Amino acid sequence: MNIMEPEGIKKQAYDEIETALNSADLEAVRLKYLGRKQGKITLALKELAGMSVDEKRKNGPFLQQLKSDIESAISFREKEIGEKGAVIDVTLPPKKIEVGHLGLITQAEDEIRRIFEGMNFSVIDGPEIEEEKYNFDSLNIPADHPAREMWDTFWLKTEGKKKYLLRTHTSPVQIRYMERHEPPFQIISPGRVFRYEATDATHETNFHQLEGLMIGKDISLANFKFVIEEFFRRFFAGKTVKVRFRSSYFPFVEPGVEVDVKLDNAKWLEMGGAGMVHPNVLEAVKYDPREWQGFAFGFGIERLVMVKYGVPDTRMFMSGDLKFIKKF
Ligand code: PHE
């Protein structure tokens, strides 16, 4: 230190004390100026010892004052840092802001929509609170029909002749659409459905289905096979897809089938039900079954997503587990 320029030293020390952000910074400043061996002020005071009495008188008090000024500045800053915890460093990069995103099921629904729109299907919505008439009766499932047991139902209130429920499948959208439109057409309707049943890895009380319906003059199961294979091929892009039908029963189709899919060399997996729309259903919406026919299908969207992304448990979609949500 040049003891002839104590003012410059003082200013520099004060600057460094003021910009110290934590006690480690501050300790470094203290060592730099007041350290017992290398401290600038300490060295200057040692130098002073070898000087003449006149020079000592001239510089001594000044240096002593400087030393105590720096000491008190440091202890003042120490307190400041202690109070604030850490001092805000405006030069630090900011914390990343977390932005949410659409859930996996919504993303899948969007993708499904795009694929079917690409095949000239329209996307139709329907209510989650349904009437018994749409969820059951018009679908050829009268009140005393044992097949009602296929759908464990959350019943809501009855108003006059209307019995309300949470829809157990997306099939009522078929009826609502046909009531208001003339064929030919082809639609899908993805959406939320509800079942009053125990949950496990493959069952939830609350899940999503993809309904499909195509009505025309000479639509057959062969048309369905083509459409659904094309859908699977696009949805499970990059895999070889095989589709097979097993005969099955749903009151609103005849014949009814279960649709299985085989991806590459994996096992056959069941994806949902389908079939040719039952003449009773066509009659319920005042279509002439001798003139019009078509296919309908209903798949579980969770099921499609579980197979596509290897999700092991359907309850994960409703768990709110951030680790799972952030993965997709
Ligand atoms: N609605 C049926 C179910 O939920 C699925 C289905 C739809 C079957 C259309 C055939 C035709 O189980």
Side-chain angles (χ1 to χ4, degrees):
M1 168 190 167
N2 184 347
I3 49 176
M4 293 309 152
E5 285 176 40
E7 280 304 326
I9 289 292
K10 185 170 173 176
K11 189 178 175 307
Q12 197 189 337
Y14 275 26
D15 278 353
E16 290 172 22
I17 291 165
E18 215 177 302
T19 54
L21 294 172
N22 48 48
S23 39
D25 284 357
L26 207 53
E27 176 59 11
V29 180
R30 197 191 63 75
L31 277 177
K32 181 170 168 187
Y33 293 96
L34 309 174
R36 259 211 275 166
K37 287 198 179 129
Q38 295 298 320
K40 288 188 179 189
I41 309 283
T42 317
L43 292 178
L45 284 167
K46 274 186 191 153
E47 235 175 89
L48 199 67
M51 287 180 184
S52 69
V53 176
D54 269 2
E55 276 175 324
K56 277 184 190 166
R57 274 214 189 106
K58 198 175 136 210
N59 295 311
F62 212 96
L63 275 177
Q64 288 299 346
Q65 186 61 43
L66 185 56
K67 186 181 173 200
S68 85
D69 283 351
I70 290 176
E71 275 169 350
S72 52
I74 286 175
S75 73
F76 182 81
R77 185 65 180 153
E78 224 160 35
K79 268 197 219 140
E80 247 183 0
I81 288 174
E83 276 162 19
K84 292 186 199 157
V87 172
I88 293 168
D89 178 357
V90 294
T91 64
L92 276 177
K95 250 195 178 175
K96 262 200 195 152
I97 294 171
E98 294 220 19
V99 180
H101 64 276
L102 295 176
L104 187 49
I105 295 297
T106 310
Q107 289 180 45
E109 274 189 15
D110 287 348
E111 189 182 359
I112 290 166
R113 252 187 224 117
R114 272 198 300 276
I115 295 172
F116 277 98
E117 279 168 352
M119 295 192 280
N120 208 23
F121 277 67
S122 308
V123 182
I124 307 303
D125 230 353
E128 291 169 6
I129 293 176
E130 235 338 330
E131 291 172 43
E132 179 185 35
K133 173 185 150 194
Y134 291 110
N135 196 85
F136 290 127
D137 302 79
S138 302
L139 286 164
N140 199 29
I141 321 169
D144 56 0
H145 200 294
R148 281 215 180 178
E149 279 175 24
M150 292 168 76
W151 297 276
D152 301 288
T153 308
F154 284 107
W155 289 96
L156 304 175
K157 63 180 175 184
T158 302
E159 266 174 9
K161 279 193 181 158
K162 290 184 176 171
K163 277 177 98 178
Y164 289 97
L165 49 78
L166 294 177
R167 66 177 178 186
T168 60
H169 50 179
T170 41
S171 297
V173 181
Q174 292 184 34
I175 306 295
R176 287 181 174 275
Y177 189 81
M178 288 192 286
E179 270 186 353
R180 291 159 180 272
H181 296 85
E182 290 302 320
F185 59 76
Q186 51 278 329
I187 59 161
I188 57 156
S189 186
R192 195 183 286 268
V193 300
F194 307 84
R195 301 257 174 110
Y196 180 52
E197 59 188 12
T199 62
D200 62 28
T202 54
H203 294 85
E204 251 290 2
T205 51
N206 187 188
F207 59 103
H208 297 76
Q209 280 189 335
L210 169 67
E211 194 76 14
L213 176 67
M214 182 172 192
I215 303 285
K217 290 237 157 150
D218 33 38
I219 305 293
S220 72
L221 270 187
N223 298 114
F224 173 59
K225 189 142 193 271
F226 174 83
V227 167
I228 214 60
E229 269 176 358
E230 191 57 29
F231 164 68
F232 287 136
R233 214 168 282 132
R234 296 191 201 179
F235 187 76
F236 298 114
K239 307 222 163 173
T240 61
V241 175
K242 280 192 194 129
V243 174
R244 80 176 176 195
F245 297 159
R246 273 175 301 118
S247 88
S248 183
Y249 174 73
F250 301 93
F252 33 91
V253 287
E254 180 57 39
V257 298
E258 213 74 64
V259 181
D260 295 346
V261 166
K262 189 179 171 78
L263 300 173
D264 292 340
N265 289 318
K267 313 184 283 197
W268 285 102
L269 299 165
E270 189 181 313
M271 286 295 166
M276 295 302 292
V277 178
H278 197 287
N280 291 355
V281 174
L282 296 172
E283 270 163 9
V285 297
K286 306 195 168 63
Y287 288 2
D288 181 353
R290 275 159 308 209
E291 195 182 353
W292 301 107
Q293 64 245 221
F295 63 76
F297 61 90
F299 295 155
I301 294 182
E302 277 79 359
R303 177 86 179 141
L304 289 165
V305 171
M306 285 167 82
V307 170
K308 180 162 174 168
Y309 297 104
V311 178
D313 190 321
T314 195
R315 290 168 295 189
M316 293 173 88
F317 296 109
M318 292 287 165
S319 67
D321 179 350
L322 283 179
K323 247 205 229 153
F324 172 69
I325 292 168
K326 283 181 178 168
K327 252 196 203 160
F328 299 98

